[in-house]
Amino acid sequence: MLKPFINKQKVYVGGLSMGGMGTFEIVYRKPNLFAAAFSICGAGNPKATKEYAKTTHFWVFHGANDNVVNPRLSVKMVDGILENGGKPNFTLYGKDNHNSWDSAFAEPELLPWLFSKSKK
């Protein structure tokens, strides 16, 4: 339950690796809770994106050389969001391996983007 002092229009979630997978999952389970989410080297069920593609702003990050979580899994999630009417940001780092969170957290626009989002 959200506390009364929380701005319910500006609740965010993000995670990396298994946390990136968890980000897709929690947004699927609570599609009207989050204003925005980011997943770094995550994966999920592309069919589930229809539940939140139009309600949650998303930025998906992945390293093209990831040998732990296949980057195609993030591409499939982005495809799912697009197919269901969402407009996600997607960044694929050509030189990064699984630790693409280093590059993602160095993105100067990540936090301004995140904090500028309100529920759709």
Side-chain angles (χ1 to χ4, degrees), residues 1-12 30 32-35 119:
M1 183 170 150
L2 294 178
K3 301 292 183 181
F5 51 83
I6 292 178
N7 182 342
K8 295 176 186 176
Q9 300 303 309
K10 292 183 168 271
V11 178
Y12 311 113
K30 299 286 187 179
N32 297 309
L33 178 61
F34 301 100
K119 277 192 197 178

Side-chain angles (χ1 to χ4, degrees), residues 21-97:
M21 295 172 193
T23 297
F24 287 121
E25 184 67 20
I26 192 67
V27 174
Y28 164 70
R29 291 178 185 228
K30 299 286 187 179
N32 297 309
L33 178 61
F34 301 100
F38 65 90
S39 174
I40 305 169
C41 58
N45 179 354
K47 292 179 182 177
T49 61
K50 75 176 188 174
E51 298 298 324
Y52 57 83
K54 293 182 181 178
T55 59
T56 306
H57 300 273
F58 242 99
W59 194 341
V60 179
F61 300 90
H62 217 115
N65 297 310
D66 194 329
N67 61 354
V68 178
V69 178
N70 191 318
R72 287 188 178 105
L73 298 174
S74 279
V75 171
K76 288 179 181 179
M77 294 305 291
V78 169
D79 283 345
I81 294 169
L82 287 168
E83 286 173 11
N84 288 293
K87 307 260 188 274
N89 288 348
F90 178 50
T91 304
L92 182 67
Y93 298 107
K95 296 181 181 180
D96 284 5
N97 196 322

